[in-house]
Amino acid sequence: MKLFIDTANVAEIAEAASWGILDGVTTNPSLVAKEGRPYRELLAEICRIVAGPVSAEVLATEADAMEREGRELAGIAENVVVKLPITKDGLRVCTRFAEEGIPTNLTLCFSPAQALLVAKAGATYVSPFVGRLDDSGHDGMQLVREMVQIYDAYEFATQVLVASVRHPQHVVEATLAGADVATVPFKILEQLFHHPLTEIGIQRFLADYRAARDVH
Ligand code: G3P
């Protein structure tokens, strides 16, 4: 199970990388816009911090323009993964990139049918948005379970990258469902560390040690 961070914030990425658990990064246009920095410059800096895959999304919507933009993004660093929307144009470009070995992340996946198409187009990753499905009254994690079942049954190589993660339980459920990756916002990565018994345990060990030292 790989853990990516879902952010374009360099400080968050550097902090999470220092914990030794970070396998990659995902960004999207909304996250990049929040940073207020030139896209390509920001992407290059992120790729210097993290050696693992860094997803960068194209803004174009038509296949030839998407392909040009994707190639440009892929040229910024060796670890760039080109993020494409699940549309006919996105799948056309995905197929071309798969033939050339350019890694892709097909994004905004909301159904098993879309997941099937994406795998057949040779995507490296596919991103089911579990939080947005939950928000709309559906069960996001059920989609992940169905995707894993389909991919296992037909031995598709596409990796299931669970996105739109809203709480630590999404990460646990994604792991139990057999997803390959969860991409997690910084705040939720931090929450994964916490358990009240761990914090109480540390305090108790320290208190016992100090008390014994005062006696001897
Ligand atoms: O990066 C894609 C995805 O994780 C976005 O999540 O919270 O905007 O639904 P959210």
Side-chain angles (χ1 to χ4, degrees):
M1 179 66 171
K2 286 169 272 192
L3 286 178
F4 291 1
I5 188 167
D6 195 27
T7 183
N9 184 279
V10 165
E12 289 181 350
I13 293 167
E15 170 70 13
S18 77
W19 302 336
I21 49 90
L22 192 65
D23 299 300
V25 179
T26 53
T27 67
N28 63 41
S30 308
L31 294 171
V32 168
K34 277 208 296 199
E35 299 307 309
R37 288 180 53 185
Y39 188 13
R40 278 132 185 84
E41 174 197 294
L42 180 60
L43 182 59
E45 186 173 348
I46 293 170
C47 290
R48 283 194 293 273
I49 300 170
V50 176
V54 175
S55 288
E57 192 156 341
V58 298
L59 300 172
T61 53
E62 179 276 321
D64 289 336
M66 261 188 212
E67 182 178 345
R68 273 195 302 280
E69 199 183 338
R71 284 187 194 286
E72 197 196 322
L73 293 171
I76 289 173
E78 276 187 359
N79 50 336
V80 168
V81 173
V82 180
K83 211 170 174 186
L84 301 162
I86 303 177
T87 59
K88 289 175 188 164
D89 286 276
L91 262 66
R92 280 187 191 107
V93 177
C94 177
T95 308
R96 293 177 202 165
F97 283 179
E99 281 164 8
E100 294 178 39
I102 297 173
T104 52
N105 176 358
L106 275 282
T107 191
L108 294 162
C109 180
F110 293 100
S111 78
Q114 289 177 324
L116 172 63
L117 297 177
V118 159
K120 289 182 70 68
T124 314
Y125 301 97
V126 58
S127 294
F129 275 34
V130 293
R132 291 193 196 182
L133 270 173
D134 290 355
D135 291 346
S136 68
H138 295 86
D139 181 354
M141 213 44 72
Q142 182 58 24
L143 169 62
V144 174
R145 285 189 283 270
E146 289 172 8
M147 289 170 70
V148 169
Q149 191 182 338
I150 292 166
Y151 286 8
D152 284 352
Y154 290 91
E155 297 182 351
F156 284 122
T158 303
Q159 296 184 48
V160 177
L161 190 168
V162 175
S164 188
V165 163
R166 297 284 160 76
H167 45 72
Q169 197 56 26
H170 269 153
V171 180
V172 174
E173 286 175 25
T175 309
L176 289 170
D180 301 281
V181 190
T183 188
V184 186
F186 181 77
K187 193 178 75 155
I188 298 167
L189 272 181
E190 278 197 312
Q191 288 173 356
L192 293 176
F193 279 95
H194 296 304
H195 193 286
L197 291 177
T198 303
E199 279 127 38
I200 291 167
I202 292 168
Q203 294 310 320
R204 193 172 295 166
F205 283 149
L206 288 175
D208 288 348
Y209 185 80
R210 286 191 193 114
R213 205 181 45 188
D214 290 344
V215 171
H216 301 298

mmCIF file of all heavy atoms in Angstrom, residues 163-200:
data_model
loop_
_atom_site.group_PDB
_atom_site.id
_atom_site.type_symbol
_atom_site.label_atom_id
_atom_site.label_comp_id
_atom_site.label_asym_id
_atom_site.label_seq_id
_atom_site.Cartn_x
_atom_site.Cartn_y
_atom_site.Cartn_z
ATOM 1 N N ALA A 163 -8.534 8.638 -4.144
ATOM 2 C CA ALA A 163 -8.401 10.100 -4.000
ATOM 3 C C ALA A 163 -9.659 10.675 -3.368
ATOM 4 O O ALA A 163 -10.626 9.957 -3.125
ATOM 5 C CB ALA A 163 -8.166 10.717 -5.376
ATOM 6 N N SER A 164 -9.601 11.986 -3.094
ATOM 7 C CA SER A 164 -10.704 12.678 -2.409
ATOM 8 C C SER A 164 -10.937 12.041 -1.040
ATOM 9 O O SER A 164 -12.062 11.762 -0.642
ATOM 10 C CB SER A 164 -11.967 12.634 -3.289
ATOM 11 O OG SER A 164 -12.991 13.430 -2.762
ATOM 12 N N VAL A 165 -9.814 11.837 -0.351
ATOM 13 C CA VAL A 165 -9.816 11.222 0.991
ATOM 14 C C VAL A 165 -10.166 12.294 2.017
ATOM 15 O O VAL A 165 -9.589 13.370 2.013
ATOM 16 C CB VAL A 165 -8.417 10.604 1.260
ATOM 17 C CG1 VAL A 165 -8.201 10.317 2.725
ATOM 18 C CG2 VAL A 165 -8.231 9.343 0.415
ATOM 19 N N ARG A 166 -11.135 11.988 2.891
ATOM 20 C CA ARG A 166 -11.649 13.011 3.806
ATOM 21 C C ARG A 166 -11.325 12.743 5.269
ATOM 22 O O ARG A 166 -11.477 13.606 6.119
ATOM 23 C CB ARG A 166 -13.175 13.120 3.658
ATOM 24 C CG ARG A 166 -13.622 13.562 2.296
ATOM 25 C CD ARG A 166 -13.398 15.059 2.110
ATOM 26 N NE ARG A 166 -13.364 15.433 0.707
ATOM 27 C CZ ARG A 166 -14.420 15.532 -0.075
ATOM 28 N NH1 ARG A 166 -15.603 15.303 0.388
ATOM 29 N NH2 ARG A 166 -14.273 15.877 -1.328
ATOM 30 N N HIS A 167 -10.951 11.487 5.595
ATOM 31 C CA HIS A 167 -10.684 11.164 7.000
ATOM 32 C C HIS A 167 -9.822 9.897 7.061
ATOM 33 O O HIS A 167 -9.737 9.140 6.071
ATOM 34 C CB HIS A 167 -11.988 10.995 7.793
ATOM 35 C CG HIS A 167 -13.018 10.167 7.082
ATOM 36 N ND1 HIS A 167 -12.892 8.806 6.927
ATOM 37 C CD2 HIS A 167 -14.173 10.506 6.463
ATOM 38 C CE1 HIS A 167 -13.939 8.340 6.263
ATOM 39 N NE2 HIS A 167 -14.720 9.363 5.959
ATOM 40 N N PRO A 168 -9.179 9.649 8.227
ATOM 41 C CA PRO A 168 -8.288 8.489 8.333
ATOM 42 C C PRO A 168 -8.963 7.162 7.986
ATOM 43 O O PRO A 168 -8.336 6.262 7.430
ATOM 44 C CB PRO A 168 -7.847 8.509 9.800
ATOM 45 C CG PRO A 168 -7.953 9.941 10.198
ATOM 46 C CD PRO A 168 -9.133 10.481 9.447
ATOM 47 N N GLN A 169 -10.265 7.033 8.305
ATOM 48 C CA GLN A 169 -10.948 5.765 8.034
ATOM 49 C C GLN A 169 -10.986 5.455 6.530
ATOM 50 O O GLN A 169 -10.961 4.290 6.133
ATOM 51 C CB GLN A 169 -12.365 5.813 8.639
ATOM 52 C CG GLN A 169 -13.023 4.446 8.793
ATOM 53 C CD GLN A 169 -12.192 3.457 9.613
ATOM 54 O OE1 GLN A 169 -11.391 3.848 10.459
ATOM 55 N NE2 GLN A 169 -12.354 2.174 9.325
ATOM 56 N N HIS A 170 -11.015 6.496 5.701
ATOM 57 C CA HIS A 170 -10.936 6.255 4.252
ATOM 58 C C HIS A 170 -9.627 5.535 3.904
ATOM 59 O O HIS A 170 -9.603 4.673 3.037
ATOM 60 C CB HIS A 170 -10.976 7.589 3.482
ATOM 61 C CG HIS A 170 -12.351 8.040 3.100
ATOM 62 N ND1 HIS A 170 -12.666 9.365 2.922
ATOM 63 C CD2 HIS A 170 -13.493 7.347 2.829
ATOM 64 C CE1 HIS A 170 -13.940 9.474 2.556
ATOM 65 N NE2 HIS A 170 -14.467 8.266 2.511
ATOM 66 N N VAL A 171 -8.538 5.923 4.568
ATOM 67 C CA VAL A 171 -7.229 5.310 4.277
ATOM 68 C C VAL A 171 -7.244 3.842 4.701
ATOM 69 O O VAL A 171 -6.792 2.956 3.965
ATOM 70 C CB VAL A 171 -6.091 6.076 5.002
ATOM 71 C CG1 VAL A 171 -4.741 5.442 4.689
ATOM 72 C CG2 VAL A 171 -6.110 7.552 4.617
ATOM 73 N N VAL A 172 -7.802 3.594 5.889
ATOM 74 C CA VAL A 172 -7.861 2.207 6.393
ATOM 75 C C VAL A 172 -8.738 1.362 5.472
ATOM 76 O O VAL A 172 -8.360 0.252 5.061
ATOM 77 C CB VAL A 172 -8.415 2.197 7.844
ATOM 78 C CG1 VAL A 172 -8.618 0.772 8.321
ATOM 79 C CG2 VAL A 172 -7.481 2.961 8.776
ATOM 80 N N GLU A 173 -9.888 1.888 5.098
ATOM 81 C CA GLU A 173 -10.810 1.122 4.240
ATOM 82 C C GLU A 173 -10.206 0.879 2.856
ATOM 83 O O GLU A 173 -10.384 -0.181 2.269
ATOM 84 C CB GLU A 173 -12.146 1.854 4.116
ATOM 85 C CG GLU A 173 -12.986 1.766 5.373
ATOM 86 C CD GLU A 173 -14.259 2.605 5.278
ATOM 87 O OE1 GLU A 173 -14.726 2.861 4.157
ATOM 88 O OE2 GLU A 173 -14.755 3.016 6.339
ATOM 89 N N ALA A 174 -9.491 1.863 2.344
ATOM 90 C CA ALA A 174 -8.837 1.690 1.037
ATOM 91 C C ALA A 174 -7.792 0.579 1.113
ATOM 92 O O ALA A 174 -7.658 -0.243 0.199
ATOM 93 C CB ALA A 174 -8.180 3.001 0.601
ATOM 94 N N THR A 175 -7.077 0.537 2.224
ATOM 95 C CA THR A 175 -6.058 -0.499 2.419
ATOM 96 C C THR A 175 -6.723 -1.870 2.492
ATOM 97 O O THR A 175 -6.287 -2.828 1.842
ATOM 98 C CB THR A 175 -5.262 -0.214 3.709
ATOM 99 O OG1 THR A 175 -4.801 1.128 3.678
ATOM 100 C CG2 THR A 175 -4.078 -1.148 3.847
ATOM 101 N N LEU A 176 -7.796 -1.979 3.288
ATOM 102 C CA LEU A 176 -8.501 -3.256 3.431
ATOM 103 C C LEU A 176 -9.122 -3.708 2.104
ATOM 104 O O LEU A 176 -9.231 -4.907 1.833
ATOM 105 C CB LEU A 176 -9.602 -3.134 4.497
ATOM 106 C CG LEU A 176 -9.100 -3.031 5.944
ATOM 107 C CD1 LEU A 176 -10.243 -2.671 6.889
ATOM 108 C CD2 LEU A 176 -8.456 -4.345 6.384
ATOM 109 N N ALA A 177 -9.515 -2.739 1.279
ATOM 110 C CA ALA A 177 -10.142 -3.065 -0.008
ATOM 111 C C ALA A 177 -9.108 -3.544 -1.031
ATOM 112 O O ALA A 177 -9.474 -4.015 -2.106
ATOM 113 C CB ALA A 177 -10.893 -1.854 -0.542
ATOM 114 N N GLY A 178 -7.819 -3.383 -0.723
ATOM 115 C CA GLY A 178 -6.788 -3.834 -1.650
ATOM 116 C C GLY A 178 -6.381 -2.787 -2.668
ATOM 117 O O GLY A 178 -5.805 -3.127 -3.715
ATOM 118 N N ALA A 179 -6.675 -1.506 -2.385
ATOM 119 C CA ALA A 179 -6.216 -0.444 -3.291
ATOM 120 C C ALA A 179 -4.685 -0.402 -3.294
ATOM 121 O O ALA A 179 -4.044 -0.837 -2.341
ATOM 122 C CB ALA A 179 -6.776 0.898 -2.828
ATOM 123 N N ASP A 180 -4.119 0.109 -4.381
ATOM 124 C CA ASP A 180 -2.651 0.178 -4.487
ATOM 125 C C ASP A 180 -2.089 1.399 -3.788
ATOM 126 O O ASP A 180 -0.979 1.361 -3.255
ATOM 127 C CB ASP A 180 -2.249 0.217 -5.965
ATOM 128 C CG ASP A 180 -2.746 -1.006 -6.711
ATOM 129 O OD1 ASP A 180 -2.109 -2.053 -6.581
ATOM 130 O OD2 ASP A 180 -3.793 -0.914 -7.382
ATOM 131 N N VAL A 181 -2.848 2.511 -3.826
ATOM 132 C CA VAL A 181 -2.370 3.800 -3.323
ATOM 133 C C VAL A 181 -3.540 4.549 -2.697
ATOM 134 O O VAL A 181 -4.669 4.436 -3.179
ATOM 135 C CB VAL A 181 -1.841 4.692 -4.479
ATOM 136 C CG1 VAL A 181 -1.128 5.929 -3.931
ATOM 137 C CG2 VAL A 181 -0.964 3.936 -5.453
ATOM 138 N N ALA A 182 -3.257 5.318 -1.640
ATOM 139 C CA ALA A 182 -4.216 6.350 -1.202
ATOM 140 C C ALA A 182 -3.468 7.665 -1.244
ATOM 141 O O ALA A 182 -2.316 7.747 -0.792
ATOM 142 C CB ALA A 182 -4.721 6.078 0.208
ATOM 143 N N THR A 183 -4.098 8.684 -1.818
ATOM 144 C CA THR A 183 -3.484 10.015 -1.782
ATOM 145 C C THR A 183 -4.242 10.849 -0.760
ATOM 146 O O THR A 183 -5.465 10.942 -0.794
ATOM 147 C CB THR A 183 -3.418 10.679 -3.171
ATOM 148 O OG1 THR A 183 -2.629 11.871 -3.022
ATOM 149 C CG2 THR A 183 -4.764 11.017 -3.773
ATOM 150 N N VAL A 184 -3.475 11.408 0.188
ATOM 151 C CA VAL A 184 -4.054 11.881 1.442
ATOM 152 C C VAL A 184 -3.638 13.331 1.692
ATOM 153 O O VAL A 184 -2.444 13.649 1.642
ATOM 154 C CB VAL A 184 -3.542 10.975 2.602
ATOM 155 C CG1 VAL A 184 -4.223 11.323 3.901
ATOM 156 C CG2 VAL A 184 -3.731 9.495 2.275
ATOM 157 N N PRO A 185 -4.605 14.228 1.985
ATOM 158 C CA PRO A 185 -4.225 15.603 2.347
ATOM 159 C C PRO A 185 -3.351 15.613 3.599
ATOM 160 O O PRO A 185 -3.459 14.704 4.448
ATOM 161 C CB PRO A 185 -5.577 16.284 2.618
ATOM 162 C CG PRO A 185 -6.588 15.440 1.925
ATOM 163 C CD PRO A 185 -6.067 14.038 1.967
ATOM 164 N N PHE A 186 -2.519 16.644 3.723
ATOM 165 C CA PHE A 186 -1.543 16.729 4.822
ATOM 166 C C PHE A 186 -2.199 16.551 6.191
ATOM 167 O O PHE A 186 -1.715 15.798 7.037
ATOM 168 C CB PHE A 186 -0.818 18.075 4.750
ATOM 169 C CG PHE A 186 0.220 18.245 5.814
ATOM 170 C CD1 PHE A 186 1.457 17.624 5.721
ATOM 171 C CD2 PHE A 186 -0.031 19.029 6.943
ATOM 172 C CE1 PHE A 186 2.425 17.773 6.707
ATOM 173 C CE2 PHE A 186 0.929 19.183 7.936
ATOM 174 C CZ PHE A 186 2.152 18.554 7.812
ATOM 175 N N LYS A 187 -3.322 17.259 6.404
ATOM 176 C CA LYS A 187 -3.984 17.225 7.714
ATOM 177 C C LYS A 187 -4.382 15.781 8.088
ATOM 178 O O LYS A 187 -4.252 15.371 9.238
ATOM 179 C CB LYS A 187 -5.238 18.118 7.648
ATOM 180 C CG LYS A 187 -5.860 18.446 8.979
ATOM 181 C CD LYS A 187 -7.048 19.363 8.818
ATOM 182 C CE LYS A 187 -8.177 18.553 8.281
ATOM 183 N NZ LYS A 187 -9.494 18.833 8.422
ATOM 184 N N ILE A 188 -4.811 15.027 7.106
ATOM 185 C CA ILE A 188 -5.252 13.645 7.385
ATOM 186 C C ILE A 188 -4.047 12.717 7.548
ATOM 187 O O ILE A 188 -4.078 11.796 8.371
ATOM 188 C CB ILE A 188 -6.230 13.159 6.293
ATOM 189 C CG1 ILE A 188 -7.460 14.071 6.313
ATOM 190 C CG2 ILE A 188 -6.638 11.709 6.512
ATOM 191 C CD1 ILE A 188 -8.360 13.941 5.121
ATOM 192 N N LEU A 189 -2.965 12.975 6.823
ATOM 193 C CA LEU A 189 -1.728 12.199 7.059
ATOM 194 C C LEU A 189 -1.299 12.357 8.513
ATOM 195 O O LEU A 189 -0.929 11.385 9.173
ATOM 196 C CB LEU A 189 -0.596 12.694 6.154
ATOM 197 C CG LEU A 189 -0.449 12.100 4.762
ATOM 198 C CD1 LEU A 189 0.747 12.741 4.066
ATOM 199 C CD2 LEU A 189 -0.326 10.591 4.762
ATOM 200 N N GLU A 190 -1.365 13.596 9.016
ATOM 201 C CA GLU A 190 -0.996 13.841 10.432
ATOM 202 C C GLU A 190 -1.932 13.089 11.370
ATOM 203 O O GLU A 190 -1.485 12.514 12.364
ATOM 204 C CB GLU A 190 -1.068 15.334 10.740
ATOM 205 C CG GLU A 190 0.156 16.099 10.313
ATOM 206 C CD GLU A 190 0.234 17.456 10.994
ATOM 207 O OE1 GLU A 190 -0.787 18.160 10.998
ATOM 208 O OE2 GLU A 190 1.317 17.782 11.511
ATOM 209 N N GLN A 191 -3.220 13.078 11.040
ATOM 210 C CA GLN A 191 -4.198 12.390 11.910
ATOM 211 C C GLN A 191 -3.916 10.895 11.995
ATOM 212 O O GLN A 191 -4.259 10.247 12.990
ATOM 213 C CB GLN A 191 -5.628 12.618 11.387
ATOM 214 C CG GLN A 191 -6.129 14.036 11.607
ATOM 215 C CD GLN A 191 -7.477 14.277 10.927
ATOM 216 O OE1 GLN A 191 -8.010 13.423 10.228
ATOM 217 N NE2 GLN A 191 -8.028 15.457 11.120
ATOM 218 N N LEU A 192 -3.284 10.327 10.951
ATOM 219 C CA LEU A 192 -3.006 8.881 10.960
ATOM 220 C C LEU A 192 -2.073 8.492 12.107
ATOM 221 O O LEU A 192 -2.085 7.349 12.553
ATOM 222 C CB LEU A 192 -2.386 8.444 9.628
ATOM 223 C CG LEU A 192 -3.275 8.511 8.387
ATOM 224 C CD1 LEU A 192 -2.477 8.149 7.140
ATOM 225 C CD2 LEU A 192 -4.473 7.583 8.520
ATOM 226 N N PHE A 193 -1.260 9.433 12.548
ATOM 227 C CA PHE A 193 -0.311 9.143 13.638
ATOM 228 C C PHE A 193 -1.013 8.970 14.982
ATOM 229 O O PHE A 193 -0.525 8.266 15.854
ATOM 230 C CB PHE A 193 0.681 10.302 13.817
ATOM 231 C CG PHE A 193 1.813 10.290 12.840
ATOM 232 C CD1 PHE A 193 1.746 11.031 11.677
ATOM 233 C CD2 PHE A 193 2.959 9.551 13.094
ATOM 234 C CE1 PHE A 193 2.798 11.036 10.774
ATOM 235 C CE2 PHE A 193 4.015 9.543 12.203
ATOM 236 C CZ PHE A 193 3.931 10.289 11.036
ATOM 237 N N HIS A 194 -2.119 9.678 15.152
ATOM 238 C CA HIS A 194 -2.640 9.869 16.506
ATOM 239 C C HIS A 194 -3.483 8.715 17.008
ATOM 240 O O HIS A 194 -4.339 8.186 16.296
ATOM 241 C CB HIS A 194 -3.462 11.169 16.574
ATOM 242 C CG HIS A 194 -2.623 12.379 16.324
ATOM 243 N ND1 HIS A 194 -1.497 12.652 17.075
ATOM 244 C CD2 HIS A 194 -2.711 13.354 15.392
ATOM 245 C CE1 HIS A 194 -0.933 13.764 16.610
ATOM 246 N NE2 HIS A 194 -1.645 14.198 15.588
ATOM 247 N N HIS A 195 -3.207 8.327 18.243
ATOM 248 C CA HIS A 195 -4.110 7.476 19.000
ATOM 249 C C HIS A 195 -3.970 7.917 20.452
ATOM 250 O O HIS A 195 -2.848 8.037 20.951
ATOM 251 C CB HIS A 195 -3.770 5.991 18.851
ATOM 252 C CG HIS A 195 -4.872 5.119 19.374
ATOM 253 N ND1 HIS A 195 -5.107 4.946 20.719
ATOM 254 C CD2 HIS A 195 -5.830 4.428 18.720
ATOM 255 C CE1 HIS A 195 -6.163 4.162 20.871
ATOM 256 N NE2 HIS A 195 -6.615 3.832 19.679
ATOM 257 N N PRO A 196 -5.089 8.172 21.157
ATOM 258 C CA PRO A 196 -4.974 8.686 22.533
ATOM 259 C C PRO A 196 -4.150 7.775 23.432
ATOM 260 O O PRO A 196 -3.397 8.260 24.288
ATOM 261 C CB PRO A 196 -6.431 8.775 23.010
ATOM 262 C CG PRO A 196 -7.267 8.153 21.953
ATOM 263 C CD PRO A 196 -6.468 8.067 20.697
ATOM 264 N N LEU A 197 -4.230 6.451 23.216
ATOM 265 C CA LEU A 197 -3.475 5.533 24.093
ATOM 266 C C LEU A 197 -1.970 5.637 23.839
ATOM 267 O O LEU A 197 -1.168 5.400 24.753
ATOM 268 C CB LEU A 197 -3.957 4.093 23.903
ATOM 269 C CG LEU A 197 -5.368 3.806 24.420
ATOM 270 C CD1 LEU A 197 -5.765 2.365 24.114
ATOM 271 C CD2 LEU A 197 -5.479 4.079 25.915
ATOM 272 N N THR A 198 -1.574 5.984 22.622
ATOM 273 C CA THR A 198 -0.141 6.181 22.344
ATOM 274 C C THR A 198 0.349 7.402 23.119
ATOM 275 O O THR A 198 1.392 7.356 23.791
ATOM 276 C CB THR A 198 0.090 6.386 20.830
ATOM 277 O OG1 THR A 198 -0.444 5.268 20.150
ATOM 278 C CG2 THR A 198 1.572 6.522 20.513
ATOM 279 N N GLU A 199 -0.438 8.496 23.024
ATOM 280 C CA GLU A 199 -0.025 9.731 23.709
ATOM 281 C C GLU A 199 -0.018 9.550 25.233
ATOM 282 O O GLU A 199 0.930 9.940 25.918
ATOM 283 C CB GLU A 199 -0.927 10.889 23.279
ATOM 284 C CG GLU A 199 -0.493 11.455 21.926
ATOM 285 C CD GLU A 199 -1.605 11.542 20.886
ATOM 286 O OE1 GLU A 199 -2.736 11.868 21.254
ATOM 287 O OE2 GLU A 199 -1.346 11.266 19.690
ATOM 288 N N ILE A 200 -1.066 8.896 25.761
ATOM 289 C CA ILE A 200 -1.121 8.634 27.210
ATOM 290 C C ILE A 200 0.034 7.712 27.613
ATOM 291 O O ILE A 200 0.685 7.913 28.634
ATOM 292 C CB ILE A 200 -2.485 7.986 27.594
ATOM 293 C CG1 ILE A 200 -3.616 9.007 27.437
ATOM 294 C CG2 ILE A 200 -2.460 7.413 29.011
ATOM 295 C CD1 ILE A 200 -5.006 8.393 27.473
#
